[in-house]
Amino acid sequence: MRPKGSCVVVVGCQWGDEGKGKVVDVLAEDADIVARYQGGANAGHTVHVGDDEFILHQIPSGILHDGKRCLLGNGVVLDIEQFFEEYDSLAARGVALEGRIGVSRRAQLLLPYHKLLDQAAESAAIEKIGTTGRGIGPAYEDKAGRRGVRVVDLTDADRLHARIAAAKERVCRRLDELGAGATRTLDEAMDKALGLGTRLLALATDTGPEITEALAGGRRVLLEGAQGTALDLDHGTYPFVTSSNTTAAAAATGTGIGPTVIDAVVGVVKAYTTRVGEGPLPTAFEAGMDERVRELGSEFGATTGRPRRCGWFDSVLTRFAAQVNGLTGLAVTKLDVLDTLEELRIATAYRMPDGSVTERFPADTLSLSRVEPVYESLPGWRTGTSQVRRLEDLPRNARVYLDRIEELTTAPVEWVSVGTKRSQIIPVG
Ligand code: IMP
């Protein structure tokens, strides 16, 4: 299944969990390289192959197609231990990995102390973010603070130990301040993580030149985003965001290619909206409906198991996502979850706390938590769609719903997913 162009970004357009893993897995069939450009083990990309389910946290979703090269770009924060756990478990399940995975020499290492700091900061915080506890914020803080440890630092034992010793001192002080203190197991965890350094170095590459050369040689590349637009550090619902740029422009900086080589940006949107962690969800369902859709869509976090909050499709957000990511097309996922609903709503605008109505996604997160969505109502289709493989076979009301999503989001729908299996996807147009 081919998107237009040789270098395609796949990006989430809501608060993550849009089904990017499935879309990347399907599109990877026609790609040669799949590269992750940001985030770390906070992601949980679920992919179904036949009756098998795989949850990928750091390794790109293209790994389940034989022979595809999978890269982790410089923009990721790489948790070495978790990475090799994932690597070994894929190998144990029969996935051939030899020569297929490359890790940027410039990627930051996410070390055990980052996880301790993340968890301690969350427990001590008055305004909690609801992080995944995977150490993401502290690892990116170290990167921006120019005190991080990169994959390339593993090549020089003296430099590595100097940086780690300085980090440990800083971390212990900070943990004391946060009242966490429990660092007894830190040395052991650090030894274990760094003990994997040689194994990691064997996978080291320069992702920018590798991707650029592949494109010049006529090969096809997918750049896989994690989390979603509304969790972007700059453009999301700050401070309830992750600590990286999740949006499409980061695909260039996060892998080391020039932005002009990107041909297309596919935005993944769920046919409704979900959010996990703290922060506003303007189109949130009322309690009964929230539970009903959570059960229908199995809306529980793939990384933390937390229940996701669910709500109506929010076109104010997806229109913003189309603009900020420069979307060239949309993949709408989980349409089948809505099959039994009598009525559907789409938010087309927000009524702001001062009474004004806006079609723009506000920068002010406090205002966002107080907006009242302006809804449009559409009739449900009350027919199963999971067996449908052609657009024209979808019930009429489902097509009307998709047309309205396309119109309001301002990007053409190119794929519709109606189930977890690879075959359950409808190419459009
Ligand atoms: P962090 O990325 O663990 O620091 O978490 C920051 C926020 O992003 C929290 O609200 C998390 O729930 C959310 N988040 C991080 N990764 C994902 C994801 O893969 N899917 C959905 N939400 C996520």
Side-chain angles (χ1 to χ4, degrees):
M1 214 157 294
R2 290 195 163 206
K4 293 173 208 95
S6 301
C7 185
V8 178
V9 181
V10 177
V11 68
C13 293
Q14 294 155 324
W15 279 278
D17 307 320
E18 297 92 351
K20 295 177 291 296
K22 151 127 196 216
V23 172
V24 169
D25 172 64
V26 170
L27 299 183
E29 200 183 321
D30 281 308
D32 300 290
I33 295 180
V34 183
R36 266 282 296 274
Y37 60 83
Q38 43 73 228
N42 49 349
H45 293 167
T46 308
V47 180
H48 289 87
V49 182
D51 292 331
D52 291 331
E53 182 184 83
F54 295 84
I55 298 178
L56 300 161
H57 297 286
Q58 296 192 93
I59 295 179
S61 307
I63 201 68
L64 301 169
H65 285 277
D66 286 349
K68 312 290 174 185
R69 175 102 167 128
C70 289
L71 302 176
L72 280 85
N74 54 280
V76 307
V77 283
L78 191 131
D79 178 335
I80 321 183
E81 265 188 279
Q82 198 286 333
F83 171 79
F84 280 115
E85 256 170 49
E86 194 169 326
Y87 188 105
D88 292 339
S89 107
L90 285 171
R93 291 176 75 177
V95 181
L97 299 173
E98 194 54 40
R100 292 188 52 207
I101 299 187
V103 173
S104 168
R105 292 192 172 86
R106 291 175 169 84
Q108 297 280 322
L109 296 184
L110 187 147
L111 292 162
Y113 52 75
H114 291 127
K115 284 183 264 190
L116 284 181
L117 282 171
D118 188 9
Q119 289 155 16
E122 267 292 271
S123 352
I126 295 170
E127 187 178 55
K128 296 195 192 303
I129 306 293
T131 73
T132 59
R134 298 298 175 107
I136 305 299
Y140 280 113
E141 278 176 44
D142 278 356
K143 175 180 181 176
R146 295 161 292 188
R147 49 178 185 259
V149 182
R150 302 192 301 168
V151 171
V152 71
D153 295 327
L154 295 166
T155 56
D156 181 331
D158 291 342
R159 183 176 51 184
L160 177 68
H161 287 120
R163 283 186 94 77
I164 297 285
K168 275 210 293 208
E169 234 186 271
R170 218 173 33 241
V171 168
C172 291
R173 261 201 319 273
R174 181 75 188 125
L175 287 172
D176 269 350
E177 276 165 26
L178 291 167
T183 54
R184 272 173 294 119
T185 52
L186 183 59
D187 284 338
E188 204 181 304
M190 289 296 292
D191 289 347
K192 204 166 157 213
L194 295 172
L196 293 163
T198 311
R199 205 175 160 200
L200 190 69
L201 279 177
L203 305 178
T205 182
D206 292 312
T207 52
E210 184 174 338
I211 294 172
T212 308
E213 279 162 26
L215 289 168
R219 298 205 287 149
R220 303 171 70 90
V221 177
L222 276 182
L223 302 171
E224 176 182 2
Q227 292 81 49
T229 299
L231 289 172
D232 182 281
L233 183 58
D234 285 82
H235 303 290
T237 49
Y238 193 91
F240 305 105
V241 291
T242 191
S243 297
S244 63
N245 286 115
T246 57
T247 41
T253 49
T255 54
I257 57 169
T260 48
V261 305
I262 295 172
D263 297 298
V265 181
V266 176
V268 186
V269 292
K270 211 177 266 187
Y272 47 101
T273 312
T274 61
R275 176 162 205 179
V276 63
E278 303 302 317
L281 174 63
T283 60
F285 291 135
E286 283 168 6
M289 186 68 169
D290 184 46
E291 245 164 72
R292 180 175 168 194
V293 173
R294 182 175 312 115
E295 289 305 320
L296 284 169
S298 305
E299 294 295 352
F300 297 90
T303 298
T304 57
R306 292 179 291 177
R308 297 174 185 147
R309 289 177 278 159
C310 303
W312 299 113
F313 189 88
D314 185 346
S315 75
V316 184
L317 169 59
T318 59
R319 194 160 48 244
F320 173 64
Q323 177 268 311
V324 78
N325 292 298
L327 297 187
T328 55
L330 281 179
V332 180
T333 61
K334 299 186 103 166
L335 185 74
D336 56 302
V337 172
L338 306 180
D339 284 350
T340 55
L341 269 47
E342 304 75 26
E343 181 216 5
L344 296 157
R345 289 190 198 166
I346 296 182
T348 56
Y350 295 151
R351 183 159 287 108
M352 300 295 284
D354 67 1
S356 62
V357 171
T358 182
E359 292 182 356
R360 279 209 185 163
F361 197 65
D364 178 3
T365 303
L366 184 64
S367 299
L368 186 70
S369 67
R370 294 179 182 160
V371 300
E372 211 180 283
V374 176
Y375 287 115
E376 189 173 290
S377 170
L378 289 96
W381 44 93
R382 319 282 310 268
T383 316
T385 57
S386 58
Q387 305 299 325
V388 175
R389 298 292 176 269
R390 299 184 317 169
L391 187 69
E392 54 271 36
D393 296 335
L394 276 176
R396 190 175 170 281
N397 286 350
R399 277 184 285 145
V400 169
Y401 185 65
L402 291 170
D403 285 348
R404 199 61 188 129
I405 285 179
E406 174 172 297
E407 200 169 38
L408 289 164
T409 303
T410 70
V413 174
E414 294 180 335
W415 292 275
V416 181
S417 169
V418 288
T420 56
K421 294 199 166 74
R422 276 181 177 167
S423 60
Q424 288 176 302
I425 196 150
I426 305 170
V428 180

